[in-house]
Amino acid sequence: MAAPALLLMVAVTVVPVLRTAALSLESYSLSAPSERAFAGLDNYGRILTSETWWQDLAATVVLTVTSVGLEFVLGFALAMAMHKVLWGRQLLRTVVLVPYAVLTVVSAFAFRFAFQPSVGFVGGDFNWLGETWSAYSVIVLTEVWKTTPFMALMLLAGLVTVPGEVYEAAKVDGAGAWQRFWRVTGPCVRPAIVVALLFRTLDAFRVFDTVYIQTQGAVGTETLSFLSYRFLIRDLEVGLGSAVSVLLFVCVAMIAVGFVRAFRGES
């Protein structure tokens, strides 16, 4: 019964991954296709010994940690507000989720124009996207505005599963608001927290469109996804671009395994 679905999944996921892995082992440039040859692990050696890879990895980690951390704090606050509010709950949930309905490309352009020097209503005369850390701030702000509602929605799904009797019992035992939050709410919504952080971390680690639209990878904001794009599309270096894609896939897999193991350990 599951064979057709399994075959379809293999066709759309496993086959492209294996094809990319095979291309990463070749010296293959579309500007000189006749010189295509097997190169073994040379592409990986060139990438991992280059300064660009480690700079882009650092930029990706900084953007991921900063944006996901802010989204978690703001998302938890929004989830608590949506869970506790008694009047206008549906309206509040609808308003909060509006940014998530906006396309990432649209939000990236909106923030780019908002911070445009002399034109945008935020930027003033300062070139926010022309300096490293201000450009980081704009990119992170865009990601936080766009995806905090997703984090809030995931955490809200965990909050609604906490039985009210548990809070009543904690109150009877003399637990204050902070103790109820730390000892009741936190442990009860831990599975939702892990899932929300895992999804957003994997998504943020592959950030591309916001960086592409706002900075084109300039002023030290190039991420690993953008590096793969640059090799494959701009430089036509299929072998090197495929190797970067494989390394990015390995990083994402390691993050996923780390989250799952941490969750199992705490369970």
Side-chain angles (χ1 to χ4, degrees), residues 121-183:
F121 64 92
V122 179
D125 293 329
F126 180 69
N127 186 6
W128 286 80
L129 298 174
E131 302 290 339
T132 300
W133 291 107
S134 56
Y136 271 78
S137 302
V138 176
I139 294 171
V140 168
L141 186 61
T142 306
E143 290 290 304
V144 170
W145 181 85
K146 172 72 176 62
T147 51
T148 293
F150 170 79
M151 185 74 78
L153 191 64
M154 297 290 289
L155 296 174
L156 178 63
L159 286 173
V160 298
T161 62
V162 182
E165 294 81 3
V166 179
Y167 290 108
E168 295 299 327
K171 286 182 180 179
V172 171
D173 291 339
W178 172 250
Q179 289 175 312
R180 292 198 299 274
F181 175 79
W182 189 252
R183 297 186 180 278

Side-chain angles (χ1 to χ4, degrees), residues 179-256:
Q179 289 175 312
R180 292 198 299 274
F181 175 79
W182 189 252
R183 297 186 180 278
V184 177
T185 304
C188 288
V189 301
R190 184 175 298 157
I193 293 174
V194 173
V195 172
L197 289 177
L198 173 60
F199 281 7
R200 268 305 297 147
T201 302
L202 296 182
D203 190 38
F205 199 82
R206 296 177 290 110
V207 61
F208 170 77
D209 32 19
T210 304
V211 174
Y212 176 82
I213 291 169
Q214 295 185 340
T215 65
Q216 291 279 310
V219 294
T221 60
E222 183 175 86
T223 60
L224 295 182
S225 294
F226 196 93
L227 178 63
S228 177
Y229 157 80
R230 184 159 63 83
F231 276 137
L232 284 169
I233 306 301
R234 287 188 181 178
D235 302 339
L236 303 180
E237 295 288 347
V238 178
L240 285 172
S242 299
V244 173
S245 298
V246 171
L247 290 173
L248 179 59
F249 175 79
V250 171
C251 291
V252 170
M254 290 173 62
I255 292 172

Side-chain angles (χ1 to χ4, degrees), residues 36-106:
R36 181 176 180 177
F38 181 74
L41 299 176
D42 287 354
N43 289 330
Y44 293 97
R46 288 179 58 185
I47 293 169
L48 293 176
T49 56
S50 70
E51 188 177 345
T52 302
W53 164 263
W54 298 106
Q55 288 176 345
D56 292 359
L57 178 61
T60 304
V61 171
V62 169
L63 289 174
T64 300
V65 172
T66 308
S67 59
V68 174
L70 289 172
E71 289 166 19
F72 175 70
V73 174
L74 296 174
F76 213 120
L78 285 173
M80 294 286 289
M82 289 189 289
H83 184 56
K84 295 292 185 183
V85 70
L86 299 177
W87 182 83
R89 176 177 295 180
Q90 296 301 325
L91 177 62
L92 176 61
R93 291 180 180 180
T94 302
V95 171
V96 167
L97 291 176
V98 166
Y100 193 61
V102 178
L103 294 175
T104 304
V105 173
V106 175

